[in-house]
């Protein structure tokens, strides 16, 4: 069991990691063919990961339902929603037919009407509005959270607060409308210019630092996986 | 004196439902009144617009819609503005998504374009799928789809959204890999712009632009400075700027006043809360 559960995955990770690393630096046809083949395999495996995700979701909510844990009603909604979309897609298809023309009494086309498959009807009139609503609610919570938590408690928080106010005003037309001062004797308005300056200089410097940190982290984690030091990707299950 | 302290305490701990009502009013009133402000064009949006505007008729533009209905409010108007600009210029438009729930939004956007351009002299037969545009639908595999398209577009997207084979489509003439696309622009609600830079531009050397939600725009300024992306359209404001540049005012420009008033409201709320914070803190001392 050690061979299958431990040694084989480490060997595959090492061989594929080294090959993919070398492939990037070898511009030949063989190298490109190898990349194409690996990419196709990866995409097929990714599709199976979707199935695994579906199994995991349904399994998790099955246990919530069986044990009647608090909020089990939402698990019913998950099951109903999942199977309603799945079955309507499998039975009726997921693409609407072409719109049907609307004719007047003389037989001339005066418009067209969309013919909905059940799947697309649920997508357009249930799924889209519900997701959009979830995202819209953020505006309300952000306003409430800003009122409660955005306080100038110390020097750092004060700098953050002032910067946020400048960027918030500078990123909407109202800011330029209220403060329409144009320095440097030109066309450039102060507030949008200053907002862009903040984004292009201090903000970008911080972002670049974060990106370099993430990059170094990715390199070190990849090396740890390739050399078998990092094994959490193999999951638990014991040796 | 105690009454005054209680009052200040109450204001600084204002019930969130009052704030929700204020936000709702700040959104609804400007929409009802229909007021509008001129939009300042930022250099990063101007840059994307100029690049597409400089492409000759028949050039190829790939607009990747990596978002789902949750980000529709910001990114769908951006998609429509870009589509309109491309079709005004007679460019060939390719689109797909790395998000499973995004493919139907692309189809809806193309359907809207078909109706809008039904009587356009540039398209005597109207906009046709496979000729003037193609929706490849959802690409399974995340960053791997970018690599696959960089290797061979026909293999990466063997069929379009409606299941038609793409190999023989007129729009695919002269397009073998991503390197043959004149301009790729990724409209992203997540981190796919990073993938496009790392696995697309660096490997296959094409010109990339980006569009994203306002909250994530700051992440991509480093790519802009290094020319790994040549333009960045940030949030609804970016979409409004693009609409104004392309001469097609639509829902992004219409939403600018509501967004302005909510930003102003949040700033006023933050200032008020800080005034009361300092007053109550002073009292505490």
């Amino acid at each position: 069991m050690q061979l299958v559960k431990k040694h084989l995955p480490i060997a595959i990770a090492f061989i594929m990691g080294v090959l993919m690393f070398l492939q990037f630096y070898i511009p030949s046809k063989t190298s490109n063919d190898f990349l194409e083949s690996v990419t196709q395999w990866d995409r097929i495996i990714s599709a199976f990961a979707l199935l695994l995700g579906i199994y995991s979701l349904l399994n998790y909510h099955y246990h919530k339902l069986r044990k009647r844990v608090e909020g089990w009603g939402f698990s019913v909604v998950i099951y109903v929603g999942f199977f309603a979309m799945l079955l309507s897609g499998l039975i009726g298809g997921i693409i609407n037919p072409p719109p049907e023309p609307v004719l007047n009494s003389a037989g001339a086309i005066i418009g067209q009407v969309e013919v909905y498959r059940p799947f697309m009807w649920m997508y357009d009139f249930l799924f889209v509005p519900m997701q959009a609503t979830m995202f819209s609610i953020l505006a309300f919570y952000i306003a409430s959270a800003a009122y409660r938590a955005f306080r100038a408690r110390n020097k750092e928080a004060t700098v953050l607060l002032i910067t946020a106010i400048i960027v918030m005003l500078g990123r909407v037309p109202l800011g330029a409308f209220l403060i329409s001062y144009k320095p440097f004797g030109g066309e450039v308005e102060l507030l949008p210019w200053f907002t862009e300056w903040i984004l292009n200089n201090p903000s970008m410097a911080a972002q670049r630092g974060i990106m370099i940190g993430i990059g170094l982290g990715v390199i070190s984690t990849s090396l740890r996986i390739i050399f078998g030091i990092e094994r959490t990707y193999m999951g638990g299950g014991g040796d | 004196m105690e009454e005054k302290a209680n009052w200040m305490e109450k204001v600084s701990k204002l019930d969130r439902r009052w704030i929700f009502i204020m936000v709702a009013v700040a959104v609804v009133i400007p929409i009802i009144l229909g007021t509008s402000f001129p939009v300042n064009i930022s250099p990063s949006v101007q840059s994307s617009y100029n690049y597409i505007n400089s492409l000759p008729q028949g050039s190829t533009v790939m607009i990747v819609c990596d978002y789902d209905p949750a980000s529709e409010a910001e990114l769908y108007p951006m998609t429509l503005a870009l589509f309109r600009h491309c079709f005004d210029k007679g460019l060939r438009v390719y689109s797909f998504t790395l998000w499973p729930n995004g493919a139907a939004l692309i189809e809806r956007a193309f359907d809207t374009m078909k109706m809008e351009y039904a009587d356009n002299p540039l398209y005597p037969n109207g906009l046709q799928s496979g000729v003037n545009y193609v929706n490849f639908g959802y690409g399974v595999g995340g960053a791997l789809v970018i690599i696959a398209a960089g290797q061979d577009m026909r293999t990466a997207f063997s069929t379009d959204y409606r299941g038609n084979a793409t190999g023989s489509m007129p729009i695919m003439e002269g397009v073998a890999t991503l390197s043959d696309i004149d301009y790729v622009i990724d409209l992203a609600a997540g981190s796919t712009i990073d993938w496009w830079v790392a696995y697309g531009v660096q490997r296959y050397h094409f010109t990339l632009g980006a569009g994203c939600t306002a909250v994530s725009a700051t992440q991509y300024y480093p790519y802009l400075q290094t020319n790994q992306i040549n333009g960045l359209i940030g949030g609804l404001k970016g979409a409004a700027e693009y609409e104004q540049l392309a001469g097609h005012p639509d829902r992004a420009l219409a939403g600018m006043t509501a967004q302005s008033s909510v930003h102003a409201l949040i700033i006023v709320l933050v200032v008020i809360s800080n005034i009361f914070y300092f007053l109550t803190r002073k009292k505490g001392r």
Side-chain angles (χ1 to χ4, degrees):
Chain A
M1 282 308 278
Q2 280 280 77
L3 179 74
V4 177
K5 279 197 158 182
K6 191 174 163 189
H7 299 302
L8 199 60
I10 290 174
I12 291 171
F14 176 77
I15 292 166
M16 291 309 293
V18 170
L19 283 177
M20 289 301 284
F21 175 77
L22 292 175
Q23 185 283 326
F24 190 82
Y25 295 99
I26 303 172
S28 71
K29 193 182 175 303
T30 317
S31 166
N32 271 338
D33 290 347
F34 170 72
L35 177 65
E36 200 172 323
S37 174
V38 170
T39 309
Q40 283 179 13
W41 270 100
D42 276 349
R43 290 184 69 192
I44 293 164
I45 294 166
S46 303
F48 279 98
L50 276 176
L51 292 177
L52 191 67
I54 291 167
Y55 166 76
S56 177
L57 175 84
L58 295 180
N59 191 42
Y60 173 74
H61 285 281
Y62 167 73
H63 286 291
K64 279 185 86 172
L65 275 170
R66 210 180 56 155
K67 291 174 184 166
R68 292 281 195 277
V69 296
E70 198 184 333
W72 62 270
F74 296 114
S75 300
V76 176
V77 176
I78 292 269
Y79 265 85
V80 171
F82 177 82
F83 283 105
M85 291 299 278
L86 180 75
L87 294 175
S88 62
L90 286 174
I91 297 165
I94 62 163
I95 296 162
N96 286 339
E100 282 180 1
V102 179
L103 309 175
N104 63 11
S105 53
I109 299 172
I110 53 166
Q112 57 181 26
V113 61
E114 191 76 59
V115 182
Y116 277 96
R117 295 266 187 254
F119 180 90
M120 279 311 295
W121 188 92
M122 284 193 281
Y123 180 87
D124 275 354
F125 300 114
L126 293 175
F127 184 73
V128 171
M130 283 193 290
Q131 272 214 329
T133 305
M134 288 298 290
F135 196 70
S136 310
I137 286 170
L138 270 181
F140 294 87
Y141 284 113
I142 286 170
S144 169
Y147 184 76
R148 268 157 232 291
F150 218 168
R151 302 272 160 88
R153 289 176 210 278
N154 50 42
K155 277 186 217 161
E156 290 83 358
T158 310
V159 171
L160 191 68
L161 187 72
I162 293 167
T163 313
I165 288 174
I166 292 168
V167 174
M168 278 185 73
L169 262 185
R171 288 292 299 166
V172 288
L174 182 68
F177 180 76
L178 292 175
I179 306 165
S180 54
Y181 172 60
K182 292 177 181 173
F184 322 119
E187 285 294 300
V188 184
E189 286 175 325
L190 176 69
L191 199 61
W193 171 83
F194 192 48
T195 305
E196 280 293 316
W197 183 87
I198 290 170
L199 293 171
N200 273 311
N201 293 282
S203 167
M204 187 169 66
Q207 287 294 341
R208 180 155 288 145
I210 293 167
M211 284 170 94
I212 291 170
I214 293 171
L216 291 172
V218 168
I219 291 169
S220 67
T221 308
S222 302
L223 287 173
R224 283 171 64 86
I225 291 172
I226 289 170
F227 292 112
I229 303 163
E230 175 66 56
R231 297 175 189 178
T232 47
Y233 69 93
M234 290 193 276
D239 288 327
Chain B
M1 200 68 181
E2 203 173 298
E3 247 177 48
K4 197 180 172 187
N6 279 344
W7 180 75
M8 284 197 294
E9 189 77 17
K10 264 187 186 173
V11 174
S12 66
K13 288 179 180 170
L14 185 69
D15 190 327
R16 66 169 64 184
R17 282 169 294 188
W18 286 110
I19 297 171
F20 293 169
I21 290 169
M22 283 186 246
V23 173
V25 170
V27 171
V28 173
I29 298 289
I31 290 172
I32 293 170
L33 293 178
T35 48
S36 63
F37 298 105
V39 176
N40 285 76
I41 309 297
S42 46
S44 57
V45 176
Q46 183 77 53
S47 173
S48 273
Y49 173 82
N50 287 349
Y51 193 85
I52 292 181
N53 213 39
S54 69
L55 294 173
Q57 190 173 344
S59 299
T60 51
V61 176
M62 178 175 272
I63 298 168
V64 188
C65 300
D66 290 330
Y67 61 90
D68 63 7
S71 315
E72 187 197 357
E74 283 187 285
L75 297 176
Y76 190 72
M78 214 180 273
T79 309
L80 292 180
L82 282 160
F83 278 1
R84 286 186 185 116
H85 189 204
C86 290
F87 289 131
D88 280 349
K89 296 273 305 166
L91 308 178
R92 289 183 281 167
V93 179
Y94 306 75
S95 192
F96 77 98
T97 176
L98 297 173
W99 287 46
N101 297 321
L105 291 177
I106 301 175
E107 194 64 8
R108 189 207 287 175
F110 277 130
D111 284 344
T112 307
M113 292 299 108
K114 271 167 86 170
M115 283 194 270
E116 282 185 21
Y117 285 80
D119 300 320
N120 192 299
L122 258 179
Y123 308 99
N125 301 320
L127 283 178
Q128 291 180 305
S129 175
V131 179
N132 310 108
Y133 72 89
V134 62
N135 174 10
F136 294 124
Y138 166 53
V140 188
L144 297 165
V145 182
I146 301 168
I147 298 174
Q151 296 287 104
D152 184 3
M153 290 263 288
R154 284 175 178 80
T155 310
F157 310 112
S158 53
T159 56
D160 71 358
Y161 179 68
R162 292 184 178 272
N164 305 310
T166 55
S168 56
M169 286 180 176
I171 196 169
M172 297 302 284
E173 273 171 31
V175 177
T177 70
L178 275 180
S179 310
D180 299 319
I181 301 284
D182 296 307
Y183 192 46
V184 178
I185 185 159
D186 183 31
L187 308 181
S191 58
T192 49
I193 295 170
D194 293 322
W195 299 350
W196 278 97
V197 170
Y199 303 110
V201 175
Q202 297 307 115
R203 268 178 185 267
Y204 303 109
H205 311 293
F206 50 82
T207 309
L208 178 71
C212 60
T213 51
V215 72
S216 55
T218 52
Q219 287 175 40
Y220 302 114
Y221 273 75
Y223 292 142
L224 203 56
Q225 195 203 30
T226 52
N227 284 326
Q228 284 166 301
I229 55 173
N230 78 339
L232 179 66
I233 308 171
L236 194 69
K237 164 83 173 2
E241 290 172 36
Y242 207 98
E243 282 181 2
Q244 189 164 298
L245 283 168
H248 288 287
D250 196 15
R251 61 168 90 173
L253 270 166
M256 274 298 93
T257 318
Q259 197 175 55
S260 289
S261 64
V262 174
H263 276 219
L265 172 71
I266 293 175
I267 290 167
V268 169
L269 287 173
V270 167
V271 170
I272 290 172
S273 78
N274 273 280
I275 290 169
F276 281 95
Y277 169 69
F278 280 110
L279 287 176
T280 48
R281 204 168 67 163
K282 220 173 164 185
K283 279 262 182 284
R285 276 181 194 161

